[in-house]
Every structure is written in C-alpha cells, then in structure tokens.
Amino acid sequence: MSADAGARGRGVRLLGRGLGLVLLVGLWLTIDFARVPALLRGADPWCLLLAAPCFLASTLVKAVRWRLILRGLDVDYPLGRCLSVYQAGAFLGFVTPGRVGDLARTAWLHEERGTPLAVGVASVLADRLLDLALLGAAAGLAGWVAAPPGPLRAATLALLGLLAVGILVLATPGVARALLDAGTRLPGAGRIVAPVRRALAELWRPLSRLALGELVVPALLTAVQWALLFVGGFALIRALGIPLGLGEAVWCISLSTAVSLVPVSVSGIGTRDAALVALFSTRGIGAPEALTFALLYLVWSL
C-alpha cells in the first residue's frame, strides 16, 4: 500500500469516528435546551447517589474477572495492578477511537510480565466475549419481557440470535476452523480468509488453556457486573423521573450499549445517544429526557 493510500485510509477512518460527534451535536441542536437544566435541578439526589457506587463496583468486578481469566492462562497479575490497568485502558478507550484501551492492556502485560502478546489478546478477547454474551442475554430477556411488540423487537431478537451463534462459533475452534477452511476455497476469498485463520489460530492456542470450569466464576462475575450497571442506570432513570420500568430500562440500556460498539464514534458518543432517543420515543418519552439520561450515564460511567 502506498503512503498516499495509507493516509487516505487513515483519513476515512478518522472521519468515520467523527460521525458520532456530528450526530450528537445534531441531536442536541434539535431539542429544547430549557428542559435539560430543569430535569437536572429536579433530579432525585438519593437516586443519583445510589447510581455512583453501582458504576464504581462494576469496574472493580471487571478487574477481578480479568484477573481470574489471566490466572486461567497462567499469568499472575496482582489485583491492584489489574484494577489500575483496566481503568487506564478504559480511559484510553474513552478518549481514543477503536479498541486502543484493550490493546494497551495487552501491551502493559507484555512489558511488565513478559506475557506473550497472543496470551494478552486472548485474555482480552475472553473478557469481551463474556461481556457480549451477557449483554446479548440481558437484551434478549428484557426484549422478550418488556419491549413493545413490533418490527424493532423482532429485528433485535433476530440479531441477538445471530450474535449468539457468532459467539458460539468463535468459541468453538473446530467449527470455526471448518468454516474458515471452507472460506479459503471460495474463489478470490483465500487471500482474505487465510490471514484471519492464522490470526485466530494464534488466539485459540492460549484460549484452549481456559477450561470450562475456569470460566464459570468469570461468567457469574460478568452477570454481577451487568446487574450493577443496569441498577445504576435504572437509578439515573428514576432520578430524572422518567417513567420506565426496570425491564424497559434494561432493554434500552442494553440495546444502546450494543449500538455504541459500532465503530463510528469515540466511546459510543453520539450513537448511544441516538439509540436512546429512538428507544425512549417508543415509550412516549421525549428527546430531552433521553439525552439528559445519556449524559448522566456517560459521566457516571467515567
């Protein structure tokens, strides 16, 4: 690839990451700003106080989970260092596009413990797959129980089913290898699929060292972590007096979080807000309330 082509590619990626910010500005320009200060002044302080420890405890639980995953990969990393590295990675992920924070975690592991990069990436991948699995499960359950019937619910549940299949395939090396082998035999696809197959093979080697029993506690901690985030988010919703039940809150938070993972913004800014505006509108809740909640959720989760 030429230097000019590389520069153009970086420019396109940077522009793509800026779409979320443009979307956010556009959303805020369309609302009645006077509603936002009124909502904040009228917020219930006790609910706001309840939300803060939920978000803080969630971060601690994620650090403990990552440490257990590392121990399953024969990497001894102190809990205090896991927490500080996880927080530093989360901060980098907030201020930079892409998954820079996750890559930073693997770099710190490599520098401080001499951990092979493939092992570090495998630990982060296992960490993220648990997050996706529990997020998808929460969204599916909340959607089935609390979401209003209609095309949005049907499409979301179908996409969640596809996500579940994708996670299972990625976590099952035999099935994934068979699919990739078939992909390499497709006309013109070999040059694309073969590097993916080699990269995944490097990750499956360390991941295969994680016994199923060693993932039970991390999976339970993931459920606790998301429960804390949902309770914290629901507390913010109640603080603003937004008329949503717990199931509806979980549906909106989980779906907006999933949308925020689409790589067109930094830390989901803009995309999460747009998703919340759309989801809240299905329950007759206005954009000022949705954007005020999105702002508080972002601040509390920093």
Side-chain angles (χ1 to χ4, degrees):
M1 180 184 294
S2 67
D4 288 343
R8 285 195 298 272
R10 287 190 295 271
V12 170
R13 288 192 295 272
L14 184 60
L15 179 62
R17 301 297 185 186
L19 290 178
L21 183 58
V22 172
L23 180 60
L24 178 64
V25 172
L27 287 169
W28 279 94
L29 289 176
T30 61
I31 68 168
D32 178 10
F33 277 105
R35 288 284 299 139
V36 177
L39 286 166
L40 292 175
R41 285 194 301 269
D44 185 336
W46 293 109
C47 288
L48 292 177
L49 287 174
L50 171 63
C54 290
F55 284 94
L56 289 173
S58 171
T59 300
L60 177 59
V61 171
K62 285 191 285 189
V64 173
R65 178 188 65 188
W66 188 43
R67 183 170 188 261
L68 291 176
I69 291 172
L70 287 171
R71 286 179 62 184
L73 294 170
D74 302 320
V75 178
D76 185 21
Y77 211 36
L79 178 58
R81 190 58 186 152
C82 277
L83 180 59
S84 60
V85 167
Y86 212 107
Q87 280 289 80
F91 175 76
L92 284 175
F94 175 74
V95 300
T96 59
R99 303 281 84 179
V100 173
D102 291 338
L103 295 176
R105 280 197 277 157
T106 65
W108 274 311
L109 272 175
H110 181 67
E111 181 178 344
E112 295 178 11
R113 284 290 188 270
T115 306
L117 290 176
V119 173
V121 173
S123 74
V124 171
L125 179 61
D127 195 58
R128 289 300 179 186
L129 285 176
L130 286 172
D131 267 340
L132 280 175
L134 266 294
L135 178 63
L141 180 60
W144 187 264
V145 172
L152 176 61
R153 187 176 86 160
T156 301
L157 293 176
L159 287 173
L160 289 173
L162 290 175
L163 173 64
V165 171
I167 291 174
L168 288 173
V169 168
L170 187 59
T172 311
V175 175
R177 285 194 193 99
L179 290 175
L180 289 170
D181 286 342
T184 58
R185 291 192 289 271
L186 293 175
R191 289 194 299 176
I192 299 174
V193 177
V196 174
R197 189 184 188 285
R198 288 195 295 270
L200 288 177
E202 289 294 318
L203 290 176
W204 281 322
R205 275 193 281 272
L207 281 174
S208 65
R209 289 152 52 186
L210 284 171
L212 183 60
E214 294 173 333
L215 290 175
V216 171
V217 175
L220 292 174
L221 288 175
T222 305
V224 171
Q225 169 226 327
W226 280 108
L228 287 166
L229 284 178
F230 291 139
V231 170
F234 184 59
L236 293 178
I237 285 173
R238 300 302 295 173
L240 294 172
I242 296 173
L244 286 179
L246 179 58
E248 294 169 318
V250 171
W251 163 253
C252 293
I253 293 171
S254 56
L255 273 195
S256 61
T257 300
V259 170
S260 73
L261 299 177
V262 178
V264 294
S265 70
V266 176
S267 194
I269 294 175
T271 52
R272 180 189 294 109
D273 306 78
L276 284 169
V277 169
L279 290 165
F280 278 29
S281 69
T282 65
R283 311 306 290 167
I285 300 166
E289 286 79 3
L291 291 175
T292 305
F293 166 71
L295 177 62
L296 287 177
Y297 190 90
L298 178 65
V299 171
W300 256 246
S301 60
L302 291 178

